[in-house]
Amino acid sequence: MAQTKKKRRRKHRGTQGGRIDTNRRAARPRSRAEAKARARAGAKRAPRVDNPPTWRNSALRGIGAAVIFTVLLLVIFKRSAGAALGLGAFMLVFYIPAGYYIDLTMWRRRERARIRERERQ
C-alpha cells in the first residue's frame, strides 16, 4: 500500500512519558556561525587568579610543600624520620598562613589595578 503521510524530517524530542525536553543546549548547532558563537561563549571564563584566595587552597598547597620538604629531608639529606617529620610539621604550620597572606596581598594588588583600569574607561 502506498504511503500517504509525509515522513517527518526531525526526530521527536520527547520521552516515553510524553515529556518534551525544552533545553536545547545539548543539540548540535544549526550553522557554522552558531558553532563559533557557542565555542567563544564557553571559552570566556574568569581566570583563577581573579578569585580571592581561600584558606583551603592555601592549606592544600602548604600540605603539598610540607610533604615534598619532608621527603627531601629523608631522601637527599638523610635525616632521621622523627627529625624530618618534625621539620615537615613546622613547615606546614609556616607555609599555610604565609601562602594565604602572600596570595591575599597579590590579589589585592591585582584588584586595585583592575579598579583603576575600570575608572579610566
Side-chain angles (χ1 to χ4, degrees):
M1 185 170 190
Q3 184 174 356
T4 56
K5 288 197 312 184
K6 191 175 184 181
K7 284 190 149 232
R8 67 175 187 257
R9 293 185 181 199
R10 267 193 272 155
K11 284 186 171 184
H12 291 298
R13 299 211 180 268
T15 63
Q16 288 181 339
R19 183 168 167 254
I20 296 174
D21 187 18
T22 57
N23 187 3
R24 295 218 18 177
R25 285 187 304 138
R28 284 193 329 205
R30 296 278 178 217
S31 66
R32 183 80 178 139
E34 188 181 347
K36 284 182 181 178
R38 278 192 196 178
R40 286 190 185 115
K44 290 182 182 175
R45 257 186 67 202
R48 268 185 70 165
V49 294
D50 291 349
N51 298 336
T54 62
W55 282 102
R56 181 178 186 274
N57 287 345
S58 297
L60 291 174
R61 193 177 325 120
I63 290 169
V67 166
I68 290 171
F69 185 77
T70 305
V71 169
L72 286 175
L73 284 175
L74 285 171
V75 175
I76 294 177
F77 297 109
K78 304 211 184 327
R79 299 281 178 138
S80 66
L85 289 174
L87 283 171
F90 172 75
M91 294 310 289
L92 179 65
V93 170
F94 176 76
Y95 279 150
I96 292 175
Y100 176 78
Y101 287 113
I102 289 170
D103 286 349
L104 185 64
T105 303
M106 298 304 289
W107 179 78
R108 284 179 178 162
R109 179 185 291 177
R110 284 190 304 269
E111 200 64 23
R112 280 194 301 267
R114 225 176 279 126
I115 290 169
R116 270 189 252 120
E117 186 65 33
R118 270 188 242 135
E119 288 174 355
R120 282 188 214 158
Q121 293 175 353

